[in-house]
Amino acid sequence: GDMRSAGKWPVGLRPFDLEYLLPDYQSTFRGSVRKPPSLERRLRQEIDQGMINEEEDDDDDDQDDEDVREEDMNEEDIEDDGNPLPTENDDKHGEDSDGEGEEDEDEDALRARLLKERAEEERRKKQLEQEQQVLRISVERFVIPEALFHPTDVGLPMEWAGLAQTIHQSIEACDKHLQAALYRSIHLVGGLSQLQNLAQRLERELRCLVPCEYQIKIIETPDPVQHGWNSLQSMVEKAELGEWGISREEWE
């Protein structure tokens, strides 16, 4: 679906396009992610167009109801001479016509002021966009992470294994009686583990490599960035350091 959208829409109008706004260290000290302004305008136009279509449908329904009511009008509402009965609107017509000119002038002035304010707002937005440092991200959102599974796509050596192949090779290098437990305990940690749908994609890739008698379980941690540190800290607090650690002399 994303690839079809990439071919249909130009950069900045694709549904998955994003912009990373760099901090200017004057008013902001942290970056932020937003939709491109051009995409926001397109989405607003689609929403407005949908609302207009709904209003047109409602107007058609109201017009049909009025036609039915006119057909059901009784002839008693019309005078014998064929002239329609006078209404309050007829009495006020003369008074309303005197103020129409002033109202038209007020409406024209209001419309001109609103157009001027809108133009000024658009100018300020464009000036702000030019001053901001923005990294535009489009198909890179799924093309770059693909290198995790196929490193050769970005020019890396053919002998380099992807993420699924690396996990498979590591577990297969362990003792046979440990492999089933290791395949059921694959933890995703680190910043890259926050990529959307990474666990599902990794499981699918591993399923093609791992024997069918082994169950695969991908575990996503609540805090993937700090999980490695927290796990090591917990291990140090609960275990005797001498049971698994070595001294500098032994290492050297």
Side-chain angles (χ1 to χ4, degrees):
D2 290 340
M3 291 302 296
R4 287 193 295 270
S5 298
K8 179 180 179 182
W9 297 100
V11 177
L13 294 177
R14 296 164 179 165
F16 48 81
D17 284 357
L18 291 175
E19 290 184 348
Y20 179 71
L21 184 61
L22 298 173
D24 57 11
Y25 297 103
Q26 294 180 2
S27 59
T28 58
F29 295 89
R30 296 189 63 180
S32 59
V33 179
R34 69 182 185 188
K35 292 183 181 296
S38 55
L39 178 59
E40 290 280 6
R41 286 192 292 269
R42 184 175 74 84
L43 295 176
R44 283 199 301 268
Q45 290 174 357
E46 291 180 356
I47 294 174
D48 294 341
Q49 186 62 39
M51 295 176 62
I52 292 174
N53 292 337
E54 292 179 359
E55 291 177 357
E56 290 178 352
D57 294 339
D58 294 339
D59 292 341
D60 293 340
D61 295 339
D62 295 340
Q63 185 62 38
D64 294 339
D65 295 339
E66 291 179 2
D67 295 340
V68 171
R69 286 196 297 269
E70 289 179 358
E71 293 177 357
D72 295 339
M73 286 180 61
N74 195 299
E75 293 183 357
E76 293 180 357
D77 296 334
I78 303 177
E79 292 183 343
D80 295 339
D81 57 359
N83 296 324
L85 293 173
T87 62
E88 294 182 0
N89 290 333
D90 295 333
D91 298 335
K92 296 181 179 180
H93 178 70
E95 298 177 0
D96 294 342
S97 60
D98 296 336
E100 286 181 358
E102 296 179 359
E103 291 180 0
D104 292 341
E105 293 178 0
D106 293 340
E107 291 178 359
D108 293 340
L110 178 60
R111 187 180 298 109
R113 181 170 61 83
L114 292 176
L115 291 175
K116 184 178 180 180
E117 292 177 355
R118 183 178 301 176
E120 180 64 21
E121 182 180 356
E122 291 293 333
R123 187 191 65 80
R124 287 197 301 267
K125 286 183 178 180
K126 290 182 180 180
Q127 183 179 359
L128 180 61
E129 292 174 5
Q130 293 174 357
E131 295 175 353
Q132 291 174 337
Q133 291 182 313
V134 178
L135 296 178
R136 292 175 175 83
I137 305 174
S138 183
V139 294
E140 296 84 1
R141 292 186 61 191
F142 50 86
V143 172
I144 293 177
E146 190 67 24
L148 291 173
F149 298 95
H150 300 99
T152 56
D153 290 352
V154 293
L156 296 176
M158 293 288 295
E159 58 270 17
W160 285 25
L163 181 60
Q165 289 84 359
T166 301
I167 294 174
H168 177 251
Q169 293 172 7
S170 301
I171 295 179
E172 289 297 318
C174 298
D175 293 338
K176 194 73 175 178
H177 68 280
L178 297 175
Q179 293 179 4
L182 292 175
Y183 279 124
R184 293 196 304 269
S185 182
I186 301 174
H187 290 253
L188 292 180
V189 298
L192 285 177
S193 65
Q194 300 178 84
L195 290 171
Q196 188 176 8
N197 299 324
L198 177 62
Q200 293 82 347
R201 172 68 183 278
L202 179 58
E203 182 177 358
R204 187 169 68 249
E205 295 280 341
L206 282 172
R207 191 72 275 173
C208 300
L209 302 172
V210 178
C212 58
E213 61 267 20
Y214 289 149
Q215 178 186 359
I216 298 175
K217 185 176 182 181
I218 310 294
I219 301 173
E220 298 180 88
T221 57
D223 186 7
V225 177
Q226 300 292 334
H227 183 76
W229 168 261
N230 294 335
S231 300
L232 181 60
Q233 182 184 25
S234 176
M235 183 177 65
V236 171
E237 292 174 350
K238 294 180 180 179
E240 290 291 338
L241 189 62
E243 294 181 2
W244 51 267
I246 61 175
S247 66
R248 180 180 290 275
E249 290 77 12
E250 292 174 330
W251 172 259
E252 295 176 349

